[in-house]
């Protein structure tokens, strides 16, 4: 008798494959009404808020929920949520809600419960040149309003990632941005070179800020010249759209952001996790196998807002904000501080449908405000510039 | 795997600090197998950002009722005890890979330490339904912490060990295993890590102690099942249900790993049930 094959994470055929859409030639993709099940919309009356806890669950499949009329749906469809994260090279997203690296695997894991294609873009798990086994367990723990993780960049290596997931990503409408980590500039360059031209890879997010590995590149995120060097080296190695992810674990992030922009990055992602620690229940050691972990979740949102606010005033490339987004208010806050797109991370664990729902809610919010695009929401909280961007940060040297 | 709104229909404290809750969730009750788990979202008014994983204690497709058995260890589980009947919880499940019983196995030995009962409880139901004989060895701190036999199927032989000797065998539940290892065709365990480690060591020496010849195909003929495959697990004498702090529970975050002989294993995807020889137990 043959053993029944157990399907594990990969190759889920339900992840709608649409092979004639090429990833490398972005075109304007307005979400079609037909793609969007009607019942996913909240009625565009009032500010759509994310409900939490048991009350939110009680609404699941509630047939009496008000559904948008045909006219409202047409109005919603007309709202432009598309955003290009790399204006020079083309990294066009259908909406500005991304999923953050490390929280969504390679996009296939959540395929059974989430319509992955409706996300703005997917940042995959941090990928290194060679396979990495990661840190000793335990690797995650909850903290007040957040969590600590210290996965340690476990991944099968760039070649395995390309071989295994490239063909899947190629058939997807949603762009996949590969998060790249390394120990040296050569590592980053080599991974970028191997990703260059791979169908299904829409861009690279340079992870120079992982706090959880001894040599995880954090050294590149805390020093202006190192950040400039690694960004420039990767820029030379690939024509892929290049995002660089900032670390909050620095005294002043502005000179680093400026250096990254000057070195040719297409966009900046801010922020990575904050370095933290948890103690074991018996208080004899640190809880996490790696001692230190990265703090994420709602607890870090004010820090992320501050950094986005600061960076937005010194760079002119797009900023992708990340840090504690759990509802539409958080998205609007980050947009107001100058981000053009937002990544959702830790909140996915509790609410896998959140990234898709946020896109719908942002659309409804635009309609409510009478906007035909979400762009007027960007940067509204920034101080009015009277002259050129302040160079004060760039002058700062620790 | 799906998101299910599970309505609480019954909640009671069956032991000090241990709760048994029943939920009406037909999608989970029909689709689940013993060893799988659900990831439950807590009310996050108080800053709880992660779901909580629980073994499915029992699942009854006829009534659509699944039960969860848990101990209050923190704010998430305490919140859960305050949920009232009629409220609906957001559950993601069923998740993970189940216990794999060899179709030829007649006698199943289930070994549970404390709350580990929740991990193997459903397997007793499945085995009895399939006409197998089941013995549960259960270890607890004292008589006051022993899982009530009234909550077990009548057909089960229930043997108890307590650390203080207040009920049954005085000592660890692992002391009882040698008596049953010849009778048992397969063993399934859930409990504290040291218990599983001791059981794994016992299981690896079992063949030699009993002088059992290797059954099945002769060595070198045909292909052997790769480590971790369903086929290999089905042939394993001991399967263990492991626990680890968990993030996403779908295999995306790589947070819930345990160290296996071939590298890190995700409890939520490759587990929570593993054949004991997949795990890299610390050397004694």
């Amino acid at each position: 008798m043959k053993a029944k094959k157990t399907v594990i994470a990969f190759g889920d055929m339900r992840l709608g494959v649409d092979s004639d859409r090429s990833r490398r030639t972005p075109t304007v993709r307005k979400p079609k009404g037909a793609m969007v099940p009607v019942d996913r919309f909240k009625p565009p009356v009032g500010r759509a808020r994310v409900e939490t806890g048991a009350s939110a669950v009680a609404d699941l499949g509630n047939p009496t929920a008000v559904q948008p009329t045909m006219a409202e749906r047409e109005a919603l469809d007309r709202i432009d949520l598309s955003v290009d994260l790399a204006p020079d090279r083309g990294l066009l997203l259908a909406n500005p809600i991304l999923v953050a690296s490390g929280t969504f695997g390679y996009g296939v894991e959540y395929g059974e419960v989430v319509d992955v294609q409706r996300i703005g873009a997917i940042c995959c798990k941090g990928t290194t040149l060679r396979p990495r086994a990661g840190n000793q367990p335990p690797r995650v723990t909850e903290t007040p309003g957040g969590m600590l993780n210290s996965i340690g960049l476990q991944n099968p290596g760039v070649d395995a990632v390309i071989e295994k997931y490239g063909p899947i990503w190629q058939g997807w409408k949603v762009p996949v941005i590969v998060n790249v980590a390394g120990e040296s500039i050569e590592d980053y360059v080599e991974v970028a070179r191997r990703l260059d031209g791979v169908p299904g890879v829409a861009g690279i997010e340079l992870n120079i800020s992982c706090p959880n590995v001894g040599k995880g590149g954090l050294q590149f995120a805390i020093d202006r010249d190192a950040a400039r060097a690694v960004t420039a080296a990767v820029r030379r190695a690939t024509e892929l759209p290049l995002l660089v992810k900032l670390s909050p674990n620095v005294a002043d992030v502005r000179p680093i952001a400026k250096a990254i922009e000057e070195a040719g990055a297409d966009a900046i992602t801010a922020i990575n996790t904050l370095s933290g620690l948890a103690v074991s229940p018996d208080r004899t050691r640190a809880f996490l196998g790696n001692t230190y972990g990265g703090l994420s979740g709602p607890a870090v949102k004010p820090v992320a807002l501050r950094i986005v606010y600061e960076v937005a005033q010194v760079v002119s490339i797009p900023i992708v904000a990340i840090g504690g987004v759990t509802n539409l208010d958080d998205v609007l806050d980050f947009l107001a501080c100058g981000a053009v797109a937002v990544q959702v991370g830790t909140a996915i664990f509790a609410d896998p449908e959140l990234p898709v729902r946020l896109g719908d809610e942002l659309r409804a919010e635009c309609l409510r405000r009478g906007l035909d695009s979400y762009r007027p929401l960007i940067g509204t909280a920034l101080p009015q510039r009277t002259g050129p961007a302040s160079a004060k940060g760039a002058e700062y040297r620790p | 795997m799906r998101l299910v709104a599970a309505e609480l229909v019954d909640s009671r404290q069956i032991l000090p600090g241990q709760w048994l809750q029943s939920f009406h969730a037909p999608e989970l009750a029909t689709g689940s197998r013993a060893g799988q788990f659900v990831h439950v979202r807590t009310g996050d008014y108080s800053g709880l950002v992660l779901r909580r994983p629980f073994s499915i204690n029992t699942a009854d497709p006829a009534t659509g009722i699944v039960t969860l058995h848990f101990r209050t260890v923190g704010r998430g589980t305490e919140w859960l005890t305050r949920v009232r009947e009629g409220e609906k919880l957001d559950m993601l499940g069923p998740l993970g890979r189940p216990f794999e019983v060899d179709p030829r196995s007649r006698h199943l030995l289930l070994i549970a330490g404390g709350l580990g009962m929740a991990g193997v409880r459903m397997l007793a139901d499945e085995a009895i339904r399939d006409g197998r004989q089941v013995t549960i060895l259960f270890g607890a701190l004292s008589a006051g912490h022993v899982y009530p036999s009234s909550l077990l199927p009548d057909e089960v032989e229930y043997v108890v060990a307590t650390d203080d000797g207040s009920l049954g065998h005085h000592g660890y539940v692992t002391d009882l295993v040698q008596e049953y290892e010849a009778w048992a065709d397969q063993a399934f365990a859930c409990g504290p890590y040291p218990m599983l480690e001791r059981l794994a060591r016992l299981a690896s020496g079992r063949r030699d102690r009993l002088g059992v010849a290797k059954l099945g195909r002769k060595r070198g003929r045909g292909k052997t099942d790769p480590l971790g495959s369903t086929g290999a697990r089905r042939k394993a004498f001991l399967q263990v249900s492991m626990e680890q702090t968990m993030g996403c529970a779908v295999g995306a975050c790589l947070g819930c790993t345990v160290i296996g002989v071939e590298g890190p294993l995700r409890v939520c995807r490759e587990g929570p049930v593993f054949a004991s020889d997949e795990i890299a137990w610390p050397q004694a």
Side-chain angles (χ1 to χ4, degrees):
Chain A
M1 196 176 65
K2 260 271 194 252
K4 205 174 125 213
K5 205 168 180 191
T6 303
V7 179
I8 313 186
F10 315 121
D12 192 309
M13 296 314 291
R14 277 191 259 178
L15 302 167
V17 171
D18 185 0
S19 55
D20 54 12
R21 295 248 194 174
S22 167
R23 180 74 289 109
R24 298 302 304 279
T25 53
T27 51
V28 176
R29 288 188 299 275
K30 285 248 179 108
K32 300 284 188 295
M35 289 166 56
V36 185
V38 177
D39 60 355
R40 294 210 182 225
F41 281 115
K42 299 238 163 142
V45 283
R47 165 77 63 82
R49 294 190 74 99
V50 177
E51 292 181 76
T52 52
S55 63
V57 186
D59 286 340
L60 287 179
N62 179 358
T64 61
V66 184
Q67 297 189 345
T69 64
M70 192 70 94
E72 282 169 340
R73 246 197 305 155
E74 278 174 13
L76 284 169
D77 288 344
R78 273 198 300 273
I79 292 167
D80 181 17
L81 290 190
S82 67
V83 54
D84 196 337
L85 293 184
D88 296 342
R89 291 180 175 78
L91 177 55
L92 196 82
L93 277 50
N95 70 66
I97 311 294
L98 297 81
V99 289
S101 172
T103 60
F104 214 72
Y106 296 94
V108 297
E109 290 83 353
Y110 272 108
E112 286 178 53
V113 287
V114 184
D115 185 357
V116 177
Q117 307 305 328
R118 297 189 62 227
I119 297 170
I122 292 169
C123 297
C124 82
K125 174 74 191 157
T127 303
T128 52
L129 185 56
R130 281 171 285 276
R132 285 184 62 102
N135 289 335
Q136 284 291 314
R139 293 173 171 185
V140 293
T141 185
E142 194 180 61
T143 58
M147 66 178 286
L148 285 172
N149 84 79
S150 105
I151 310 300
L153 292 174
Q154 179 185 336
N155 80 98
V158 63
D159 293 334
V161 169
I162 292 171
E163 189 188 336
K164 202 174 200 173
Y165 302 106
I168 301 174
W169 294 340
Q170 195 182 356
W172 284 3
K173 285 183 297 208
V174 53
V176 176
I177 298 166
V178 177
N179 184 288
V180 173
E183 294 178 6
S184 63
I185 291 183
E186 293 72 38
D187 280 5
Y188 284 102
V189 167
E190 186 55 34
V191 175
R193 196 170 281 143
R194 292 189 194 188
L195 289 168
D196 199 4
V198 172
V201 175
I204 287 178
E205 182 180 64
L206 220 51
N207 178 2
I208 57 171
S209 44
C210 179
N212 296 329
V213 287
K215 286 180 165 179
L218 184 56
Q219 68 270 28
F220 295 111
I222 58 175
D223 182 80
R224 178 173 69 173
D225 296 330
R228 189 197 310 272
V230 69
T231 307
V234 173
R235 178 74 290 161
R236 283 192 295 273
T238 176
E239 271 305 301
L240 282 169
L242 177 62
L243 290 74
V244 181
K245 193 166 181 177
L246 296 178
S247 172
N249 305 312
V250 295
D252 187 349
V253 75
R254 285 169 290 193
I256 298 163
K258 193 82 188 133
I260 288 169
E261 180 188 32
E262 287 164 3
D266 293 299
I268 280 178
T269 307
I271 57 175
N272 208 317
T273 54
L274 282 74
S275 188
L277 184 108
V279 178
S280 71
D282 60 7
R283 305 210 160 75
T284 57
R285 59 190 169 81
F287 177 79
L288 295 172
N290 180 49
T291 305
Y292 302 107
L295 180 65
S296 62
V300 311
K301 183 190 156 194
V303 179
L305 275 175
R306 186 260 297 172
I307 288 178
V308 169
Y309 183 85
E310 288 178 352
V311 172
Q313 295 177 58
V314 296
V315 304
S316 52
I317 54 177
I319 299 169
V320 182
I322 163 174
V325 173
T326 55
N327 57 35
L328 182 64
D329 284 327
D330 298 333
V331 174
L332 296 173
D333 285 351
F334 278 113
L335 294 178
C337 286
V340 302
V342 168
Q343 293 188 7
V344 186
T346 305
I348 294 170
F349 297 158
D351 188 359
E353 292 168 326
L354 180 67
V356 172
R357 205 173 58 233
L358 283 178
D360 294 341
E361 289 180 359
L362 181 61
R363 197 177 289 277
E365 176 70 10
C366 291
L367 183 69
R368 194 185 70 82
R369 297 191 185 202
L371 305 173
D372 57 3
S373 152
Y374 79 104
R375 281 181 194 82
L377 304 173
I378 296 170
T380 54
L382 292 173
Q384 296 297 313
R385 278 187 192 173
T386 49
S390 165
K392 190 172 160 229
E395 294 302 315
Y396 177 85
R397 264 201 92 106
Chain B
M1 184 209 307
R2 56 203 299 186
L3 286 162
V4 174
E7 181 186 343
L8 184 75
V9 291
D10 185 47
S11 176
R12 55 196 162 123
Q13 196 168 11
I14 55 170
L15 290 169
Q18 290 188 29
W19 292 69
L20 187 67
Q21 293 189 328
S22 306
F23 295 90
H24 185 248
E27 304 96 325
L28 290 173
T30 48
S32 309
R33 286 178 61 194
Q36 291 186 299
F37 68 100
V38 290
H39 213 30
V40 181
R41 187 172 182 191
T42 60
D44 52 358
Y45 336 107
S46 47
L48 306 178
V49 302
L50 296 179
R51 288 172 180 253
R52 302 295 193 267
F54 299 103
S55 287
I56 299 172
N57 188 57
T58 61
D60 183 359
T63 57
I65 300 287
V66 295
T67 64
L68 304 182
H69 171 201
F70 61 90
R71 180 163 51 209
T72 50
V73 292
R75 282 163 55 203
T77 41
E78 273 157 22
W79 177 85
L80 208 50
T81 64
R82 295 195 298 275
V83 177
R84 281 169 299 179
E85 285 165 26
E87 285 184 43
K88 288 184 177 176
L89 296 193
D90 178 356
M91 293 190 184
L92 179 63
L95 299 164
R97 290 170 64 185
F99 289 110
E100 298 293 348
V101 180
D102 190 324
R104 296 171 300 183
S105 290
R106 300 282 309 133
H107 301 158
L108 304 192
L109 185 63
L110 312 189
I111 305 143
L115 204 71
M117 182 61 96
V120 296
R121 171 67 187 79
M122 187 168 163
L123 184 59
D125 288 343
E126 283 190 1
I128 287 163
R129 186 197 64 205
D130 295 343
R132 305 180 214 279
Q133 290 182 36
V134 176
T135 295
I136 298 181
L137 308 182
F138 180 75
L141 281 175
S142 68
H145 295 83
V146 172
Y147 190 81
S149 58
S150 59
L151 294 174
L152 290 170
D154 294 340
E155 296 88 340
V156 164
E157 182 189 0
Y158 189 36
V159 185
V160 172
T162 49
D163 294 0
D164 64 358
S166 51
L167 189 69
H169 171 75
H170 186 172
Y172 289 136
V173 65
T174 47
D175 306 339
L176 302 170
V177 170
Q178 293 217 7
E179 266 179 65
Y180 288 87
E181 67 177 1
W183 170 84
D185 298 314
Q186 272 186 296
F188 305 88
C190 184
Y193 191 87
M195 178 192 116
L196 300 180
E197 188 189 339
R198 171 102 183 105
L199 288 173
R201 208 155 35 238
L202 285 171
S204 64
R206 170 174 176 270
R207 235 177 247 290
D208 296 335
R209 282 196 302 280
L210 299 179
V212 187
K214 195 168 170 60
L215 294 176
R217 287 202 190 92
K218 277 184 187 150
R219 200 177 286 269
R221 291 185 57 193
K223 63 178 170 60
T224 52
D225 295 302
L227 198 68
S229 67
T230 305
R233 288 185 180 180
R234 199 170 278 159
K235 291 195 188 79
F237 174 71
L238 176 65
Q239 289 169 38
V240 293
S241 177
M242 309 279 289
E243 66 173 1
Q244 185 60 271
T245 53
M246 201 170 274
C248 68
V250 302
C253 76
L254 311 179
C256 62
T257 51
V258 293
I259 303 299
V261 293
E262 289 179 348
L265 297 164
R266 296 170 294 183
V267 169
C268 67
R269 274 285 185 177
E270 284 82 44
V273 175
F274 299 94
S276 67
D277 55 2
E278 291 172 41
I279 305 294
W281 305 99
Q283 297 303 310

